[in-house]
Amino acid sequence: MAEDIKASELITLREAAEYSGLSHNYLIEIANRGRLKAWKYGHFWMTTREAVDEYLASRKKIGAYREDIGT
């Protein structure tokens, strides 16, 4: 984990799914691929809201996100 991230900033991927509107399984998939900054602690994946926001912004840049259909 990056040393500049505080424990209070960490959220589970389930919380990230609620925050982002993406599915929990999809977030696990992109975390495994390295497309979402996330860390695995035991059975739990953790990330930050900032990392989720960065991922969503990157999707909009490459056209993978369409606001008219929300995906």
Side-chain angles (χ1 to χ4, degrees):
M1 178 171 65
E3 59 280 340
D4 59 336
I5 296 176
K6 297 179 182 124
S8 62
E9 296 175 343
L10 292 174
I11 60 173
T12 65
L13 288 194
R14 289 209 184 275
E15 292 169 316
E18 290 176 20
Y19 172 72
S20 66
L22 300 171
S23 79
H24 176 251
N25 288 337
Y26 179 72
L27 292 177
I28 290 172
E29 182 180 322
I30 63 173
N32 274 321
R33 292 182 183 177
R35 295 187 60 209
L36 173 66
K37 293 177 190 171
W39 304 270
K40 193 167 185 183
Y41 296 101
H43 295 288
F44 297 98
W45 279 96
M46 305 295 286
T47 190
T48 63
R49 282 185 168 77
E50 181 181 357
V52 174
D53 290 340
E54 287 174 9
Y55 172 73
L56 292 174
S58 74
R59 286 181 51 161
K60 289 181 182 181
K61 284 183 184 176
I62 61 169
Y65 182 87
R66 290 186 43 199
E67 295 203 31
D68 60 326
I69 60 173
T71 60

